[in-house]
Each structure stands twice: as C-alpha cells, then as structure tokens.
Amino acid sequence: MSEQGNGNALLVAESALNTLPLVYDVPFTYRDFTPLVMFAQDSRMVVASSDAPYETCAELIEASQDQTVKTGSSGRTGADSLVTAEFERSGGQFSVVPYGSTGEVLTGLLGGQIEVAPASAASAKPYVESGDFKALCTLSEERYDDPVLGDVPTAVEQGLDAEVTIWRGVLAPDGIAPVQRDYWIDSILEAMESDTYHDYIRDDLLIPAVLAGEEFEEYLAEHDEQMAEVFQ
C-alpha cells in the first residue's frame, strides 16, 4: 500500500486478501491493489489418522453431529477455515485448534492433538503415501491427477455440497500507469509458459489457472462476495 503508483513493486497473494478484511480490522481490501494475473488455484483435502473411525468426509460430518470433532486450522481466514465452514454448513460440528502453519496442523494430527486436518494436497501426500494418514476426501472440483491421491474422491462425489478453491496471483500497487500494468501482465504470462512454472504447478499439486487484468478483477469481485457469505 505504501508503494502506491510504483510500477516496480509486486505483491504475490492468495484468497486471504479477500478474507482478512472480513475477520480482522485491516486497512485494506483487494480493491486497494491493481490485479495483474491469477496464475494458479489451490484446494484442500481432509486427512485423518490411519485408525480413525471414519473413511469419508460424509462419515466424518455424520460422526461430528453426535460428538464434536477436533480439527486443526492454519489461521482464521485461510483455506483450512473455509473447509471447516463448508462442513459446518453441511451439518458438522467442529472444535477448531489454531496453528501457525499447515506443517504445525499435520504435526498436531500426528501427535493426536486433533482428530482430522484440512491440508494442501502437496503437504498431506507424504503422510498418505507412508500410511500415517488416510485421506477422507478432497475439496477440489475434480480428483487430483496424481498416482497417490488420484483415488481420493471429492466431497461432492460423497454427496456433500462442499468445494474449496482459492486463488494465487500477482498484484501491483494501486495507481500504476496502464502501460506498467500491461508490461507486468505480459511478463507474467510469458513466465507461465516456462518449465519452471509447469514444474511448480505439478510439484505443489496446484490447479492451472490463467486470468489477467480485468478478468482477474472480475473474479476477485465474485470471490469477495462468496467469502462474505462464508464469514458473515
């Protein structure tokens, strides 16, 4: 924000830019920046210890209606909190233990401090592969194209109206010149054609996405309305 008008400053951000102002008293919204390019989307999956009494997210929600289930969350405004919100809308009841990062959430699950954990697919995959955790569902629109996680059904496949998709993108300060915005959009789109970008998408199990300029801005406005409904 302090770099207003500076065409040489960039901000890499994600959906927390929409949700932070809904939960905390912060002096900004996404409207205080210049959207450039959304370069990926991310989702979440839900894992539990290998001996947990449920095999699916549908069974988890059903079990939580009789006894509150303890889950972890890396922050009050991130993707983890969106998973909990979606499950509570489906009738679940959860006691949320806050952690500072996804790694801490998964460590808490390993140590038995919590019973289930939402996490990024890339973070959860090693534990699923080792057998420490079992995957209950993904919150993505489609199953992951991955040899380890490809058999994990989506929440929608299990009859739940629950989907979590967050954006990752690049923004510039407010007030930059149109020629500066166009320069960065073209440069970022060119970078997205590189092997480095494709390796990043594959290794982090992200969803490829390309929205630039006004299309990205329109997406942010729609996403903001959706997040306002979740966090109201």
Side-chain angles (χ1 to χ4, degrees):
M1 289 184 67
S2 65
E3 298 288 345
Q4 184 171 5
N6 182 358
N8 293 313
L10 298 178
L11 171 68
V12 179
E14 40 88 13
S15 289
L17 193 61
N18 296 100
T19 57
L20 277 169
L22 298 173
V23 177
Y24 297 105
D25 183 18
V26 294
F28 60 82
T29 72
Y30 79 91
R31 297 177 182 85
D32 294 303
F33 306 91
T34 301
L36 297 175
V37 177
M38 179 169 77
F39 56 80
Q41 289 183 320
D42 197 0
S43 188
R44 280 295 182 270
M45 62 187 308
V46 178
V47 292
S49 59
S50 57
D51 59 352
Y54 17 75
E55 300 295 328
T56 67
C57 288
E59 291 179 4
L60 167 64
I61 290 176
E62 184 178 357
S64 74
Q65 293 170 350
D66 297 326
Q67 183 176 0
T68 301
V69 173
K70 191 179 295 185
T71 182
S73 181
S74 58
R76 293 178 57 195
T77 62
D80 292 355
S81 63
L82 296 177
V83 174
T84 303
E86 289 285 359
F87 283 2
E88 288 179 341
R89 285 169 55 180
S90 296
Q93 300 181 63
F94 299 91
S95 174
V96 180
V97 179
Y99 291 92
S101 67
T102 295
E104 292 179 12
V105 172
L106 295 178
T107 300
L109 181 58
L110 273 174
Q113 299 169 358
I114 54 178
E115 298 167 73
V116 294
S120 68
S123 297
K125 178 179 174 179
Y127 297 97
V128 175
E129 193 168 17
S130 67
D132 290 306
F133 298 159
K134 58 183 173 184
L136 305 184
C137 74
T138 75
L139 278 295
S140 51
E141 182 179 357
E142 299 178 354
R143 296 190 184 195
Y144 286 101
D145 182 14
D146 180 82
V148 175
L149 304 180
D151 292 334
V152 182
T154 67
V156 173
E157 287 181 80
Q158 296 176 0
L160 302 174
D161 183 16
E163 187 176 317
V164 170
T165 303
I166 63 174
W167 58 267
R168 294 188 182 187
V170 184
L171 302 94
D174 189 26
I176 66 171
V179 66
Q180 293 172 317
R181 185 181 83 152
D182 292 344
Y183 168 83
W184 281 117
I185 288 176
D186 291 344
S187 297
I188 295 166
L189 292 177
E190 181 179 352
M192 291 173 65
E193 297 177 1
S194 68
D195 291 340
T196 300
Y197 168 78
H198 293 293
D199 291 346
Y200 162 69
I201 293 292
R202 183 192 67 244
D203 294 344
D204 277 22
L205 291 169
L206 299 176
I207 304 164
V210 184
L211 286 179
E214 293 180 359
E215 289 186 341
F216 185 23
E217 191 168 356
E218 291 172 1
Y219 173 89
L220 288 175
E222 295 175 3
H223 190 70
D224 209 59
E225 292 180 2
Q226 294 170 358
M227 294 303 96
E229 292 179 4
V230 172
F231 287 98
Q232 64 183 359

